[in-house]
Amino acid sequence: MVWDTPIHTEPLTEAEASDRFPESVYQLANRWDRYLAIPEVEEAAAAKETFWLNPERRPFDQAEKELSFTMEDILDAQRRIRRFAPFLAACFPELEESAGIIESPLQDIPAMADSLWKDWGMTGQDGIQKGRVLIKLDSELAVAGSVKARGGIYEVLKVTEDLAFRAGILKETDDYSRLKEYREFFSGYTIQVGSTGNLGLSIGIMSAAIGYRAVVHMSADARQWKKDLLRSKGVIVKEYEGDYGEAVAEGRALSDKEETSYFVDDEHSSRLFLGYAAAALYLRKQLEEKGIPVDCDHPLFVYLPCGVGGAPGGITLGLKYVFRDAVHCFFAEPVQCPCMLLGMAAGEGERISVQDFGLTGRTIADGLAVGRPSGLAAGNMKPLLDGIYTVKDSLLLDWMRRLKETEGIVMEPSACAAFGGLRALAGKKGSAYCREQGLPEKSACATHIVWATGGSLMPEDVREEYLQTHLQ
Ligand SMILES: *Cc1c(COP(=O)(O)O)cnc(C)c1O
């Protein structure tokens, strides 16, 4: 059932797709040769650590015209989040203190930064200098314990508001905590989602709290503890042998059969995207409070772990609207799962998957174990994103240990991929990028934000197991 048509993001039907992309076997073979002629595509397809710079990135005032969303869309999302705050504070005791606003701290990590710069030979002689390194702790976001609390919860709230307006039980000017009286009403509806784990946690926990019947379709990569936690909240968990794409396809098909079921579409949802984008508004406030300027003389570098691309894409969109050309955004992917790198570098977006290139798509970074990028994210990132790098699984665990030792912070392996951004920038290609952007002399005044995307819900034994694991 479609309750409200997404703004620009309907997936193509098969007929439309073949109409638009008719292709002979000959053309197909030709196309693969062309992709593999792009050095970063060849490297990434060989599961090597790769750093790709986006040749199509443009100055923001030109890029803005091509985006699917405006600043007003992002502000509208923020207003909706605020309207729901009294309701969330009433539902979740952990949100009482923040009056229902789900946000995360921004904190300096000098010891971790020093330790990493030392490894990567950041001397300041060639290319860029060290700058100040902060961590954005979405790993500690309330309710869902990951970045998915932003997009996932926002989408459930948007759907809830639409339903409640339509049923005449809520007006925009009401105190939204009255929705607590309508569990019975919401129990007549189902919310479903396909997930590698964290999106399921965010959608499942929030849907169940409102009163919906919640069904999460989990891929083989999803960790057992995430399934157990969801079941303990009354969420129905369906397990699949295959990967994320399969869980999504099944979930969508099952949901479409039911009149009263809504499917959260991670790959095409403009709502998820806007929920993530709103993060930028609060980050601006946090940087102001810390007295950290961001402008062309004080560049901001942000490193974001990427799965399907919704979370890092939405956050990048928001950041570029707020900081324009002063912010430089990079995505991080596991070497076996560089779906966004391959999709964007080959110029094909969601039309190709990592499996097409012979990669397994398997990784210890379960939040990033996605074989095919979101077309919505890839399309909007085309004129905006600065680059994408890949990281080996073994390094994710090393950085996880090091962060615990140096700063006492623990996050999940997926989130640790963000640290690779400092290494990418410190390397040859990163230095060349900085020179081309006129940044070397400004880099001592630069701020780097490592976006910690998840981890606080990890059970003690899972956390210990990761910390004890050493991969080659
Ligand atoms: C989902 C997730 C991401 C990436 O988000 P996408 O929208 O899939 O790109 C990054 N880190 C963690 C921990 C996640 O759960």
Side-chain angles (χ1 to χ4, degrees):
M1 164 189 186
V2 180
W3 289 347
D4 196 359
T5 327
I7 315 178
H8 316 273
T9 56
E10 279 299 323
L12 300 179
T13 64
E14 217 158 87
E16 283 168 340
S18 68
D19 222 31
R20 260 200 233 177
F21 315 112
E23 211 164 31
S24 66
V25 172
Y26 171 76
Q27 284 168 317
L28 202 68
N30 214 353
R31 195 149 67 89
W32 286 99
D33 282 350
R34 215 174 62 232
Y35 300 154
L36 292 171
I38 303 166
E40 291 90 346
V41 170
E42 194 195 1
E43 255 172 58
K48 289 187 191 145
E49 290 190 322
T50 306
F51 184 22
W52 172 77
L53 291 167
N54 179 10
E56 300 190 68
R57 188 196 74 116
R58 287 191 283 123
F60 186 77
D61 55 2
Q62 289 174 32
E64 187 177 358
K65 301 185 194 92
E66 285 174 38
L67 304 175
S68 311
F69 308 95
T70 63
M71 186 63 170
E72 181 46 36
D73 293 329
I74 302 173
L75 292 168
D76 176 58
Q78 190 194 37
R79 288 193 291 269
R80 185 164 295 103
I81 291 167
R82 290 203 180 132
R83 288 199 291 276
F84 270 97
F87 170 72
L88 295 181
C91 285
F92 298 94
E94 56 189 300
L95 287 178
E96 257 168 46
E97 209 185 306
S98 69
I101 295 295
I102 301 175
E103 255 308 336
S104 71
L106 175 70
Q107 147 184 344
D108 279 286
I109 44 169
M112 177 70 176
D114 262 1
S115 158
L116 291 175
W117 292 140
K118 231 174 249 152
D119 271 18
W120 299 328
M122 187 72 96
T123 61
Q125 287 160 5
D126 178 42
I128 64 162
Q129 300 182 42
K130 291 177 189 171
R132 178 169 176 182
V133 181
L134 299 141
I135 195 164
K136 177 67 176 158
L137 288 170
D138 276 10
S139 47
E140 289 172 17
L141 280 176
V143 183
S146 81
V147 68
K148 301 294 194 307
R150 299 181 182 282
I153 290 176
Y154 175 72
E155 175 142 6
V156 174
L157 299 183
K158 170 79 171 95
V159 166
T160 301
E161 193 182 60
D162 289 348
L163 263 183
F165 283 173
R166 206 160 307 168
I169 58 179
L170 186 74
K171 295 190 304 294
E172 206 175 293
T173 48
D174 283 341
D175 175 346
Y176 278 31
S177 55
R178 63 184 278 125
L179 288 173
K180 276 201 79 146
E181 312 303 319
Y182 290 94
R183 288 189 66 83
E184 182 71 26
F185 168 77
F186 292 112
S187 72
Y189 296 91
T190 304
I191 297 208
Q192 310 202 42
V193 65
S195 173
T196 62
N198 286 341
L199 186 64
L201 283 177
S202 132
I203 304 268
I205 293 172
M206 185 49 69
S207 303
I210 293 173
Y212 292 106
R213 180 174 165 264
V215 184
V216 176
H217 304 267
M218 289 275 209
S219 59
D221 303 285
R223 298 285 179 267
Q224 188 61 40
W225 68 269
K226 294 186 180 173
K227 299 176 193 166
D228 297 341
L229 179 62
L230 276 172
R231 290 192 171 115
S232 78
K233 306 265 181 196
V235 174
I236 300 160
V237 177
K238 298 204 172 171
E239 302 179 49
Y240 295 85
E241 291 292 314
D243 76 352
Y244 170 79
E246 198 174 302
V248 170
E250 263 300 304
R252 185 185 288 130
L254 284 172
S255 182
D256 286 350
K257 284 193 199 134
E258 277 178 62
E259 257 305 292
T260 53
S261 175
Y262 178 86
F263 186 73
V264 176
D265 191 333
D266 196 11
E267 290 160 335
H268 306 100
S269 167
S270 47
R271 297 185 187 122
L272 277 175
F273 214 72
L274 287 170
Y276 292 123
L281 302 171
Y282 190 77
L283 184 75
R284 169 169 60 188
K285 187 164 152 255
Q286 286 179 311
L287 287 165
E288 277 167 15
E289 279 167 9
K290 287 184 179 296
I292 299 176
V294 179
D295 52 44
C296 286
D297 292 324
H298 302 83
L300 175 66
F301 295 89
V302 183
Y303 311 110
L304 298 145
C306 174
V308 73
I315 293 171
T316 296
L317 179 96
L319 289 171
K320 295 273 182 177
Y321 266 111
V322 170
F323 298 115
R324 307 180 80 89
D325 297 320
V327 68
H328 304 259
C329 297
F330 297 91
F331 288 1
E333 297 189 300
V335 285
Q336 282 293 346
C337 233
C339 66
M340 190 60 79
L341 193 158
L342 292 172
M344 286 189 71
E348 296 289 347
E350 67 187 332
R351 291 196 297 277
I352 54 178
S353 76
V354 301
Q355 284 82 9
D356 294 341
F357 287 87
L359 294 168
T360 64
R362 306 308 294 253
T363 165
I364 194 162
D366 54 335
L368 316 182
V370 175
R372 189 182 294 278
S374 147
L376 173 67
N380 280 280
M381 289 306 99
K382 189 174 166 181
L384 283 188
L385 187 66
D386 294 85
I388 308 177
Y389 59 86
T390 62
V391 181
K392 280 189 204 148
D393 278 15
S394 60
L395 280 171
L396 300 179
L397 295 175
D398 290 348
W399 296 337
M400 183 178 174
R401 274 184 283 276
R402 199 184 300 194
L403 184 68
K404 177 164 183 288
E405 281 156 22
T406 53
E407 305 281 350
I409 298 171
V410 179
M411 55 197 209
E412 61 185 272
S414 300
C416 295
F419 288 113
L422 298 173
R423 180 179 60 158
L425 219 61
K428 250 201 186 127
K429 211 168 194 174
S431 302
Y433 166 84
C434 288
R435 275 196 300 277
E436 182 204 300
Q437 302 275 319
L439 293 172
E441 43 307 343
K442 300 171 188 166
S443 54
C445 309
T447 304
H448 302 262
I449 295 182
V450 175
W451 210 285
T453 45
S456 66
L457 294 187
M458 260 188 303
E460 195 60 41
D461 58 324
V462 172
R463 163 188 300 219
E464 273 316 303
E465 192 187 323
Y466 283 136
L467 289 168
Q468 302 305 328
T469 304
H470 294 262
L471 298 173
Q472 281 304 301

